[in-house]
């Protein structure tokens, strides 16, 4: 009996020791990315403009087609709905039904917040206010705006400080961020845009570094259209904007056979983002021509998931 008790005691101890083995020999946990992934609606602009889907369909498509549960809207696709509560309630229901979180709204077509003409600039500020309210209603944290304006770099910067400051003050009580993307013209010059941010000096006014929009001069002399004749260094520009970033735009166009982005070194650019201390949301914005939108989005997501944990 004594031998049996000794045996059982030893066996119990051995089993307890074996129970601890998985903790010792288990495979290492996969390293997590330092950012979350969202989907920018512009990635699907061709499908939306072709009538294949609508802004209301976007949350479900993001979740069910791509496994992405954070979305970034484009106001162009519901331009007349900013104050339509019935429409916005429908959109919110679709988000809830699909477990989707609203992150930001990209605002275009409402005027330049850096217009050197005070009347035009103030009009642009007023037009943007409804989108601040819309963002709040939808549970977004942010709206992306444009700091477009005509004049010298100094004059446009001065106007941008004023325009962004006014809109930032309006948005502050609603806890909405006002962020500027490098989106053509002076805004695609990282030094210029970071200088504007330093002068605005508001916690809820910042940047949205886009990995691809660094054309500072086009043949037509406009922010968009025509051939790019002068481009700012994208890695330098992203580094300059990151101290003020409240999101980043993971822009892609084409991919090589290994699934890497052709125009941007994602290992290099994501390291810049990480080294800045950024721990926010990276929005997929596919704009390529060779792959269809759905495949391009999937390729971009796979690239982020592969490179993100390694940098």
């Amino acid at each position: 009996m004594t031998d049996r008790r000794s045996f059982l005691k030893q066996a119990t101890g051995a089993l307890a020791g074996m129970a601890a083995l998985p903790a010792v020999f288990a495979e290492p946990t996969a390293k997590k990315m330092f950012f979350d992934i969202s989907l920018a609606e512009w990635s699907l602009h061709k499908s939306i403009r072709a009538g294949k889907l609508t802004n209301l369909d976007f949350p479900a498509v993001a979740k069910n087609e791509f496994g992405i549960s954070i979305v970034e809207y484009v106001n162009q696709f519901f331009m007349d709905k900013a104050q339509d509560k019935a429409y916005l309630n429908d959109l919110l229901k679709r988000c809830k039904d699909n477990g989707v979180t609203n992150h930001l709204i990209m605002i275009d077509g409402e005027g330049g917040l850096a217009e050197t003409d005070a009347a035009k600039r103030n009009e642009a500020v007023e037009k943007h206010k409804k989108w601040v309210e819309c963002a709040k209603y939808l549970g977004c944290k942010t709206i992306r705006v444009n700091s477009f304006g005509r004049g010298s770099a100094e004059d446009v910067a001065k106007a941008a400080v004023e325009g962004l400051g006014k809109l930032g003050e309006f948005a502050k009580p609603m806890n909405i961020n006002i962020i500027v993307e490098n989106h053509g013209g002076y805004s695609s010059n990282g030094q210029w845009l970071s200088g504007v941010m330093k002068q605005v000096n508001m916690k809820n006014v910042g940047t949205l570094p886009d990995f691809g929009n660094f054309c500072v001069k086009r043949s037509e002399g406009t922010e968009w259209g025509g051939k790019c004749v002068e481009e700012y260094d994208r890695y330098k520009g992203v580094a300059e904007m990151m101290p003020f970033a409240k999101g980043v735009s993971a822009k892609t166009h084409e991919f090589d056979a290994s699934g890497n982005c052709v125009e941007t070194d994602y290992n290099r650019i994501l390291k810049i983002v990480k080294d800045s201390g950024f721990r926010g949301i990276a929005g997929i914005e596919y704009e390529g021509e060779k792959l269809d939108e759905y495949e391009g989005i999937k390729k971009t997501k796979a690239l982020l998931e592969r490179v993100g944990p390694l940098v």
Side-chain angles (χ1 to χ4, degrees):
M1 180 66 72
T2 301
D3 290 343
R4 184 171 179 271
R5 286 175 178 171
S6 299
F7 172 78
L8 289 173
K9 185 177 182 180
Q10 291 173 359
T12 301
L15 288 170
M18 289 176 67
L21 285 177
V24 177
F25 295 103
E27 294 183 5
T29 303
K31 188 177 179 183
K32 292 184 178 180
M33 296 187 295
F34 65 93
F35 55 87
D36 293 318
I37 294 176
S38 62
L39 180 61
E41 191 173 21
W42 188 253
S43 298
L44 293 164
H45 72 275
K46 294 177 184 176
S47 297
I48 293 173
R49 286 176 171 172
K52 295 178 181 178
L53 57 98
T54 70
N55 183 67
L56 289 172
D57 300 322
F58 177 50
V61 170
K63 185 64 174 285
N64 300 324
E65 293 288 341
F66 309 109
I68 298 173
S69 57
I70 306 173
V71 294
E72 304 178 10
Y73 298 100
V74 174
N75 75 325
Q76 296 177 48
F77 303 136
F78 61 121
M79 199 71 177
D80 60 342
K81 305 296 185 182
Q83 297 170 308
D84 186 334
K85 295 297 175 62
Y87 179 91
L88 298 180
N89 286 337
D90 188 1
L91 184 56
L92 281 170
K93 183 178 185 303
R94 294 175 188 233
C95 291
K96 183 178 180 180
D97 290 345
N98 289 281
V100 170
T101 299
N102 294 327
H103 172 42
L104 69 82
I105 309 174
M106 296 187 179
I107 312 301
D108 297 298
E110 298 289 15
L113 291 169
E115 290 285 357
T116 51
D117 182 297
K120 289 183 179 179
R121 184 173 64 249
N122 290 331
E123 182 182 6
V125 170
E126 291 302 314
K127 286 184 175 181
H128 279 79
K129 287 181 177 180
K130 64 180 177 291
W131 291 109
V132 172
E133 295 168 339
C134 178
K136 179 67 175 179
Y137 194 84
L138 290 175
C140 295
K141 301 293 185 184
T142 303
I143 67 168
R144 188 276 283 144
V145 302
N146 292 305
S147 59
F148 296 153
R150 298 292 178 184
S152 69
E154 294 76 17
D155 288 343
V156 175
K158 182 179 178 181
V161 171
E162 184 175 331
L164 292 169
K166 283 185 177 180
L167 189 59
E169 288 292 345
F170 175 78
K172 189 191 299 184
M174 288 177 269
N175 295 314
I176 298 295
N177 297 315
I178 307 299
I179 61 175
V180 180
E181 181 183 357
N182 45 308
H183 213 211
Y186 295 127
S187 72
S188 288
N189 180 314
Q191 187 175 19
W192 182 90
L193 188 53
S194 63
V196 167
M197 290 300 137
K198 289 173 184 175
Q199 292 180 71
V200 174
N201 193 28
M202 293 179 66
K203 288 184 177 180
N204 71 317
V205 178
T207 61
L208 178 68
D210 184 298
F211 297 167
N213 289 343
F214 283 100
C215 183
V216 293
K217 187 176 180 181
R218 293 184 177 274
S219 58
E220 301 298 320
T222 57
E223 288 83 9
W224 295 102
K227 184 180 179 181
C228 183
V229 295
E230 184 181 346
E231 189 164 326
Y232 197 81
D233 183 280
R234 68 188 63 203
Y235 306 102
K236 181 176 183 288
V238 168
E240 289 167 333
M241 288 186 282
M242 283 312 302
F244 313 97
K246 298 185 181 298
V248 295
S249 186
K251 176 68 60 64
T252 56
H253 287 86
E254 311 303 341
F255 297 87
D256 64 19
S258 299
N260 294 311
C261 180
V262 172
E263 61 278 357
T264 304
D265 181 342
Y266 262 68
N267 287 277
R268 181 180 176 186
I269 210 155
L270 285 179
K271 188 175 189 308
I272 292 170
V273 173
K274 184 179 182 181
D275 288 350
S276 74
F278 179 82
R279 298 296 183 270
I281 296 172
I284 291 174
E285 193 169 55
Y286 172 69
E287 289 190 349
E289 297 295 333
K290 293 182 180 179
L291 301 175
D292 69 31
E293 291 176 318
Y294 283 62
E295 187 63 24
I297 292 168
K298 291 175 182 177
K299 285 272 191 181
T300 308
K301 183 170 183 273
L303 176 61
L304 289 171
E305 291 174 336
R306 174 165 55 84
V307 177
L310 301 178
V311 297

